[in-house]
């Protein structure tokens, strides 16, 4: 098979301009677009260090994906080793796994983390194995989980700002996760007690574009924070590790991004027209994915599509016949496959053909 190379330019305003990137007091920090993965701000993002309770993001998404959210958990002696922040559940208390996840994410309950791990994984070791498997699955190459809570005395959980942004971007695709971390207050009555849990993420009440996140602190990790925010089709995540001014830094990074970057729709799913393509004239070419990308209006950049098609002599509907690459200068930032569909021939009766012929005469 031979490959055809076609280029389609996307015209953007290109005016030399630079935006002052806001700095942070963090040891490591990242600001990333969750949809495209574009990094808008970075500071030592691959530095691996203990991350404290923001590792509960992994605990939460693994538990959600277990499919046991509505099952009732009877608390046992698995919570006895818990210390630090908690929701203060007791042995014999009954609540659903979903209830425990609210306690985990809003109040950073270490007792909730142990109860979740025991219920979902059979024991802590089994659950930790699930956490590390999920990390590998979604491309977290700089992370190691040793417990469901993030406490350093239990070997601690190690990751990087970059990996935690990858994890959060993955988790935010889950509707249940988004609802939990975006909740400001959760009330619950069990067979033993009544609770009112308020979210420790202060940005939920102080910054209107905030959609979720998780706080963390240990003496070794110091303050760690993950937050997410959305405005005008920009869905962003900020991660800071060891940042004593974290809430202010997060808000300032979001403002910097929202004021200077805009989401451009580059690809839309459906039929694509390839200029000067004459090999598949009796077929329809289409893609199944859409793609948007954050850019400054006046960013000095060249963005174009590079479409590569195979000349397949034999194909059937739904076959892949090429790729579309979104290019920024010489860097490939996104790729999706091109599919083919034969154009349906119109079968008309003789009088319908005559009517169509007659109409064309006039």
């Amino acid at each position: 098979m031979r490959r055809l190379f076609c280029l389609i330019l996307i015209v953007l305003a290109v005016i030399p301009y630079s935006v002052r990137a806001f700095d942070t007091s963090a040891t490591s920090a990242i600001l990333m677009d969750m949809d495209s993965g574009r990094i808008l701000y970075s500071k030592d993002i691959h530095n691996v260090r203990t991350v404290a309770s923001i590792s509960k993001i992994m605990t939460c998404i693994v538990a959600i994906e277990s499919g046991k959210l509505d099952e009732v958990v009877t608390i046992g002696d698995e919570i006895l080793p818990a210390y630090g922040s908690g929701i203060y559940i007791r042995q014999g208390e009954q609540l659903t796994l979903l209830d425990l996840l609210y306690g985990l994410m809003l109040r950073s309950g270490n007792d909730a983390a142990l109860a979740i791990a025991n219920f979902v994984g059979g024991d802590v070791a089994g659950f930790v194995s699930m956490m590390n498997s999920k990390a590998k699955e979604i491309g977290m190459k700089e992370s190691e989980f040793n417990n469901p809570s993030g406490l350093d005395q239990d070997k601690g959980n190690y990751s990087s700002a970059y990996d935690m942004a990858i994890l959060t971007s993955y988790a935010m695709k889950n509707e249940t996760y988004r609802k939990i971390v975006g909740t400001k207050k959760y009330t619950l009555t069990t067979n033993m007690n009544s609770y009112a849990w308020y979210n420790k993420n202060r940005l939920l009440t102080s910054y209107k574009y905030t959609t979720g996140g998780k706080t963390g602190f240990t003496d070794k990790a110091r303050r760690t924070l993950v937050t997410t925010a959305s405005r005008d089709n920009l869905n962003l995540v900020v991660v800071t590790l060891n940042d004593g001014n974290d809430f202010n830094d997060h808000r300032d990074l979001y403002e910097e991004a929202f004021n200077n970057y805009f989401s451009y729709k580059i690809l839309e799913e459906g039929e694509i027209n390839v200029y000067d393509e004459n090999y598949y004239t009796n077929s329809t070419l289409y893609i199944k994915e859409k793609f948007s990308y954050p850019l400054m209006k006046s960013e000095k950049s060249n963005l174009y599509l590079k479409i590569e098609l195979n000349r397949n002599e034999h194909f059937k509907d739904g076959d892949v016949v090429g790729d579309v690459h979104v290019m920024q200068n010489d860097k490939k930032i996104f790729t999706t496959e091109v599919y083919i569909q034969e154009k349906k021939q119109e079968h008309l009766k003789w009088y319908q053909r005559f009517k169509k012929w007659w109409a064309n005469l006039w």
Side-chain angles (χ1 to χ4, degrees), residues 182-309:
T183 297
K184 298 175 184 178
K185 178 185 177 182
Y186 188 76
T187 57
L188 167 69
T189 298
T190 71
N191 61 322
M192 290 186 173
N193 207 347
S194 293
Y195 300 94
W197 295 325
Y198 293 87
N199 202 316
K200 289 186 176 183
N201 178 9
R202 298 203 306 265
L203 284 191
L204 273 177
T205 53
S206 65
Y207 186 64
K208 65 180 179 179
Y209 302 116
T210 306
T211 55
K214 181 70 188 74
T215 60
F217 176 85
T218 64
D219 289 337
K220 185 177 181 179
R222 310 308 296 171
R223 292 179 66 91
T224 61
L225 181 64
V226 175
T227 63
T228 57
S230 297
R231 191 179 95 179
D232 297 333
N233 296 316
L234 274 179
N235 302 302
L236 306 178
V237 56
V238 173
V239 180
T240 50
L241 306 180
N242 186 25
D243 186 353
N245 193 38
D246 48 11
F247 287 112
N248 290 330
D249 283 347
H250 282 230
R251 184 185 60 248
D252 290 339
L253 283 172
Y254 287 132
E255 284 298 290
E256 185 80 13
F258 289 142
N259 289 333
N260 292 286
Y261 286 88
F262 302 86
S263 181
Y264 287 85
K265 185 179 291 185
I266 309 300
L267 293 175
E268 190 63 76
E269 66 240 76
E271 183 177 352
I272 60 170
N273 296 310
V274 183
Y275 175 73
D276 208 25
E277 199 290 302
N278 53 22
Y279 186 79
Y280 293 113
T281 53
N282 294 321
S283 302
T284 299
L285 301 176
Y286 66 97
I287 59 176
K288 296 181 179 180
E289 295 183 272
K290 57 184 176 181
F291 178 68
S292 297
Y293 199 65
L295 292 163
M296 291 185 289
K297 278 187 175 180
S298 49
E299 189 171 24
K300 192 175 182 180
S301 171
N302 293 316
L303 203 69
Y304 60 93
L305 299 184
K306 183 178 180 180
I307 304 178
E308 299 178 338
L309 298 177

Side-chain angles (χ1 to χ4, degrees), residues 299-344:
E299 189 171 24
K300 192 175 182 180
S301 171
N302 293 316
L303 203 69
Y304 60 93
L305 299 184
K306 183 178 180 180
I307 304 178
E308 299 178 338
L309 298 177
N310 303 316
R311 283 188 168 179
N312 295 348
E313 294 183 13
H314 305 287
F315 60 86
K316 60 182 182 297
D317 288 353
D319 279 356
V320 174
V321 294
D323 299 289
V324 177
H325 308 288
V326 181
M327 309 292 294
Q328 188 177 26
N329 295 320
D330 295 325
K331 180 183 177 183
K332 188 183 300 181
I333 60 175
F334 181 76
T335 295
T336 189
E337 293 176 319
V338 178
Y339 297 83
I340 196 164
Q341 178 84 31
E342 263 195 285
K343 291 180 179 176
K344 302 300 182 185

